[in-house]
Amino acid sequence: MLNSPLWAATAGIALVGLSLPGAEAISNGVARLPVLGYNTWNAYQCNIDEDLLLTTAKLIKSLGLQDAGYSYVNIDDCYAEKNRSASGDIVEDKIRFKGGMKKLNQQIHALGFKTGIYSDSGWFTCAGYPGSFNNEARDAKTFSDWGFDYLKYDNCAIAYDSITRQGIVGRYQRMADALAQISATAKKTFVFSLCEWGWSQVWLWGAQLGHSWRTTGDIAPQWDSLAAIINFNSFITQATDFYGRNDLDMLQLGNGGLTFEEAKSHFTAWALMKSPLLIGTNLSAITPDILGILKNKEILDINQDSVVGKSISPFRWGINPDWTSNSTHPAQYWSGPTRDGTVFMLLNTLKEPSTLSFNLTESPWIRAGRQYSVRDLWAHTDNGTAVRTFTAENVPPHGVIALLLKDAGNEPDGLFPACSVWWQCTDKNGTHVGG
């Protein structure tokens, strides 16, 4: 984690104007926008089989989640036999996937979904199944032949340096090259998700190889885990744009450990930071409240904005001085442009209700001298017009306010002081005219 305001400030600035070799090469027609879908790991870990996957796909459809945009059904670790075949191929578990991955993919595709699979850049996956090191081209072909559309690529069981002669970028490059070759020969394009955990500053190089990159360790269904992930990612928001984005890990809604307000904050932060949104919940036990969060169309529309690909970013930290890293109390005031206006996220990081207030022009996306209509993206209500300031009272503990502000014309005449930021206000004759 970040440990000081100086390091944090450096991290926040480092990506501005960054141009990396090959950064545009991954713009290959898939995952221009964040992927929405489902992943088996959080809810089931290794307890998966073909019946569970097919049942889950049908539930995503029947619950209306497919209509809301969740279009991927992804298998995580533990789907394979422990040993490769005599010819060296990964083999699906003969008992749990007795019908074969190809048939399972055909069934799930027939329901209108795309599908994802998992592997690892080391000898073994994190659960001890065959990894793809030294078999990248072979495994890419297997995944293509099986019919998958997405590959999550993990970082466990790494071979000795004397064998790889590569750093982390080189190890991931091997699979990126294999997928590119599949695209060229089999005309099969994969979404490539780097599950690298962020320890090698993956946000600096991930766009060269993949469509998303994990920036932290695994998420847990606890507020402290969410706060730490939000805090870390608050300093690297510049890395996210079309075709490549920071991945904050899977959605932990409905797995216990979070209050309803915390679940709303979780979903809001992930969606507005343009993270992939992969549900990790047992859908057979999902509650209407959690389903309502996952299907919030106004929040999802911003995650899937076809005009603006950038994440929201903090414009003020709030409890802490700006650019301070605090894993339990991350930045509270965030904003970003959208195709329809400026979106704001106000996050109460305290364990008690709090009032959150800001000057509109603290956000770089707001024009001075204008007034703005206010849309509450959770209450789904139009809340009048904001002039210069906005205040949200009694925000619940660990709760969130999400707003869309749209320009509504010039602010009323005769306001005092003459400038919303009064200490900067100067008459044309040079006279200071502050409040």
Side-chain angles (χ1 to χ4, degrees):
M1 289 296 169
L2 307 177
N3 294 314
S4 72
L6 178 60
W7 197 100
T10 303
I13 293 170
L15 290 172
V16 176
L18 181 67
S19 179
L20 290 171
E24 297 302 318
I26 201 63
S27 303
N28 57 359
V30 295
R32 180 176 184 269
L33 301 176
V35 166
L36 274 62
Y38 188 89
N39 182 284
T40 58
W41 185 256
N42 284 2
Y44 302 106
Q45 296 191 352
C46 287
N47 299 314
I48 56 173
D49 59 29
E50 59 189 32
D51 292 335
L52 173 69
L53 267 296
L54 194 55
T55 297
T56 298
K58 292 176 179 177
L59 277 170
I60 296 170
K61 195 177 185 78
S62 66
L63 290 169
L65 288 165
Q66 185 184 53
D67 288 341
Y70 296 90
S71 57
Y72 282 80
V73 180
N74 295 348
I75 303 171
D76 211 282
D77 208 345
C78 310
Y79 61 85
E81 292 285 317
K82 285 284 187 163
N83 296 300
R84 291 175 176 269
S85 71
S87 59
D89 294 324
I90 288 180
V91 180
E92 61 267 76
D93 186 291
K94 296 183 179 66
I95 296 175
R96 292 183 290 123
F97 293 92
K98 58 183 180 295
M101 286 296 185
K102 183 176 288 189
K103 179 180 178 182
L104 179 60
N105 269 301
Q106 291 170 346
Q107 292 174 306
I108 296 176
H109 284 150
L111 293 170
F113 294 100
K114 297 180 180 179
T115 55
I117 194 64
Y118 168 96
S119 193
D120 191 282
S121 63
W123 296 119
F124 304 99
T125 69
C126 296
Y129 292 82
S132 289
F133 177 70
N134 241 11
N135 285 284
E136 290 86 1
R138 178 188 296 275
D139 291 352
K141 184 178 185 305
T142 295
F143 301 146
S144 175
D145 290 346
W146 281 348
F148 286 103
D149 309 286
Y150 175 114
L151 175 62
K152 174 183 173 182
Y153 206 53
D154 221 329
N155 190 38
C156 287
I158 300 304
Y160 297 153
D161 292 351
S162 60
I163 297 173
T164 67
R165 306 293 182 185
Q166 288 283 0
I168 183 66
V169 178
R171 293 197 299 272
Y172 274 77
Q173 183 74 60
R174 293 165 67 111
M175 181 53 83
D177 290 345
L179 295 177
Q181 184 61 34
I182 289 295
S183 178
T185 58
K187 308 302 180 186
K188 174 71 176 180
T189 305
F190 278 80
V191 176
F192 191 28
S193 174
L194 316 181
C195 186
E196 195 278 323
W197 322 321
W199 296 338
S200 68
Q201 299 183 348
V202 62
W203 54 91
L204 291 173
W205 54 266
Q208 298 178 79
L209 306 182
H211 299 96
S212 63
W213 42 86
R214 281 278 299 281
T215 56
T216 63
D218 290 349
I219 191 173
Q222 300 159 2
W223 174 257
D224 285 350
S225 177
L226 304 184
I229 292 171
I230 293 169
N231 172 68
F232 191 92
N233 282 272
S234 68
F235 299 101
I236 56 173
T237 59
Q238 299 93 329
T240 284
D241 209 335
F242 293 128
Y243 291 110
R245 52 199 53 88
N246 296 324
D247 179 357
L248 280 61
D249 202 7
M250 289 171 277
L251 294 170
Q252 282 285 58
L253 284 68
N255 286 339
L258 297 178
T259 68
F260 176 66
E261 295 297 335
E262 290 170 343
K264 284 171 57 180
S265 296
H266 177 16
F267 183 76
T268 303
W270 266 235
L272 300 188
M273 293 174 81
K274 305 293 179 74
S275 175
L277 300 178
L278 293 173
I279 302 167
T281 302
N282 180 344
L283 292 179
S284 65
I286 196 170
T287 65
D289 283 346
I290 297 301
L291 188 60
I293 292 174
L294 291 169
K295 293 168 67 174
N296 185 328
K297 184 178 186 303
E298 294 190 77
I299 299 289
L300 289 171
D301 281 350
I302 296 174
N303 178 265
Q304 296 292 296
D305 191 332
S306 62
V307 176
V308 179
K310 284 288 188 184
S311 163
I312 58 170
S313 299
F315 60 84
R316 174 156 47 100
W317 262 246
I319 291 175
N320 299 298
D322 290 350
W323 298 107
T324 298
S325 176
N326 187 319
S327 292
T328 58
H329 293 85
Q332 295 182 281
Y333 297 87
W334 302 63
S335 69
T338 79
R339 63 186 173 195
D340 294 320
T342 302
V343 64
F344 287 82
M345 180 176 76
L346 311 180
L347 194 64
N348 180 12
T349 62
L350 300 176
K351 297 179 181 179
E352 58 194 33
S354 181
T355 295
L356 300 175
S357 183
F358 63 96
N359 186 309
L360 299 189
T361 58
E362 289 184 79
S363 166
W365 312 111
I366 291 293
R367 294 171 59 188
R370 308 286 286 182
Q371 58 187 333
Y372 288 82
S373 65
V374 180
R375 176 72 177 178
D376 187 315
L377 302 181
W378 280 108
H380 306 297
T381 56
D382 294 319
N383 292 0
T385 303
V387 179
R388 294 196 175 179
T389 63
F390 182 87
T391 299
E393 298 181 348
N394 295 315
V395 181
H398 298 166
V400 71
I401 300 293
L403 308 168
L404 185 65
L405 270 61
K406 296 184 181 182
D407 193 306
N410 289 334
E411 66 182 21
D413 293 334
L415 294 181
F416 182 84
C419 304
S420 59
V421 185
W422 61 265
W423 59 87
Q424 296 177 344
C425 206
T426 306
D427 190 83
K428 64 182 177 181
N429 65 10
T431 305
H432 176 68
V433 290

